[in-house]
Amino acid sequence: MKDLFIKRFKYYKSLGDKSFGQLSDEQIFWQYNDESNSIAILVKHIAGNMLSRWTNFLTEDGEKPWRNRDDEFVNTFKTKQEVIEYWETGWKCLFEGLDQINDENLYHTVYLRGEAHSVIDAVCRQLAHYPYHIGQIVYIAKMMKNDDWKTLSIERNKSQEFNNEMKQRFPNEDVDSNSSPVCFQNSPEVRDEYK
């Protein structure tokens, strides 16, 4: 289970990393308006959350007394490099926390703001939270880059090509055993189940 968590978090981190690589210093700090967050502010919030949640996460409440969440939405960075360094600090803390998970403690109780969670639930909570904000980062970056944006996903009008490539890479995978009506709507068995 730990390996699966690490794999998923690494994927979402890579989306942020690849977005930062396409942006200038100025673009990292751009805000649509005063009520919107810049990418720098989103990073400050994500990493701030990570440091609070994952520091001693098996033994201490995930909302640390030293965390100042409100301050996470005030930019204090001067350079893109500072933003990326803080991003990396947060992820380092997360991966060190994940490394403590094992089969024995997966269902142990941890606390977030005094609310009890199993370890697996606390991880899933963060696995929903961080991609939410990373999606915002990607969206802001894509708007700024416009035609110069290098896609992080399947290119437009290339879905069938990508699917064929995946089938060639994984020819022996039994996709129907783990299907859903959304992902495999062409499977007759799945269609019959959801009529």
Side-chain angles (χ1 to χ4, degrees), residues 4-28:
L4 178 61
F5 291 147
I6 291 170
K7 176 182 176 180
R8 293 298 170 212
F9 278 113
K10 282 185 175 180
Y11 169 73
Y12 288 109
K13 179 182 185 298
S14 76
L15 295 179
D17 293 340
K18 291 173 184 175
S19 296
F20 304 148
Q22 297 188 50
L23 300 174
S24 68
D25 277 49
E26 295 77 26
Q27 289 171 323
I28 290 283

Side-chain angles (χ1 to χ4, degrees), residues 6-7 40 59 64 71 98 101 114 165 193:
I6 291 170
K7 176 182 176 180
T59 58
K64 302 296 186 287
D71 186 58
L98 286 178
I101 296 174
E165 182 184 317
E193 285 179 24

Side-chain angles (χ1 to χ4, degrees), residues 1-184:
M1 185 66 76
K2 172 174 69 177
D3 293 340
L4 178 61
F5 291 147
I6 291 170
K7 176 182 176 180
R8 293 298 170 212
F9 278 113
K10 282 185 175 180
Y11 169 73
Y12 288 109
K13 179 182 185 298
S14 76
L15 295 179
D17 293 340
K18 291 173 184 175
S19 296
F20 304 148
Q22 297 188 50
L23 300 174
S24 68
D25 277 49
E26 295 77 26
Q27 289 171 323
I28 290 283
F29 296 101
W30 178 83
Q31 286 179 255
Y32 176 72
N33 59 32
D34 289 341
E35 290 301 310
S36 301
N37 293 318
S38 66
I39 289 173
I41 288 173
L42 289 167
V43 167
K44 189 175 180 186
H45 170 58
I46 293 168
N49 180 282
M50 288 174 171
L51 292 170
S52 183
R53 295 290 182 265
W54 297 98
T55 299
N56 303 321
F57 93 103
L58 290 174
T59 58
E60 297 177 3
D61 192 288
E63 188 68 12
K64 302 296 186 287
W66 44 259
R67 182 184 185 201
N68 184 348
R69 184 183 180 280
D70 292 336
D71 186 58
E72 293 168 7
F73 296 95
V74 177
N75 180 54
T76 53
F77 298 118
K78 301 284 188 259
T79 66
K80 176 181 173 182
Q81 186 59 38
E82 287 177 351
V83 173
I84 292 171
E85 286 172 6
Y86 196 56
W87 168 261
E88 293 295 339
T89 299
W91 284 103
K92 182 177 184 290
C93 185
L94 177 144
F95 289 122
E96 287 172 356
L98 286 178
D99 197 45
Q100 298 173 45
I101 296 174
N102 56 48
D103 292 340
E104 288 75 43
N105 64 22
L106 201 54
Y107 293 96
H108 284 193
T109 300
V110 295
Y111 294 90
L112 299 175
R113 294 188 179 100
E115 180 185 356
H117 295 67
S118 65
V119 168
I120 194 169
D121 186 30
V123 173
C124 288
R125 181 173 164 163
Q126 299 316 111
L127 198 47
H129 182 205
Y130 304 144
Y132 167 78
H133 289 303
I134 292 167
Q136 293 171 329
I137 289 170
V138 172
Y139 187 70
I140 294 167
K142 186 175 180 177
M143 285 192 306
M144 284 189 287
K145 295 302 287 185
N146 197 15
D147 291 339
D148 294 330
W149 176 251
K150 292 175 186 65
T151 187
L152 307 181
S153 182
I154 301 167
E155 292 183 49
R156 283 186 187 190
N157 303 313
K158 300 281 187 176
S159 295
Q160 190 58 52
E161 212 174 288
F162 180 81
N163 290 344
N164 292 339
E165 182 184 317
M166 292 302 287
K167 286 178 186 174
Q168 288 176 354
R169 281 180 59 195
F170 304 103
N172 297 321
E173 297 287 327
D174 181 13
V175 294
D176 289 334
S177 67
N178 189 22
S179 63
S180 78
V182 174
C183 297
F184 301 102

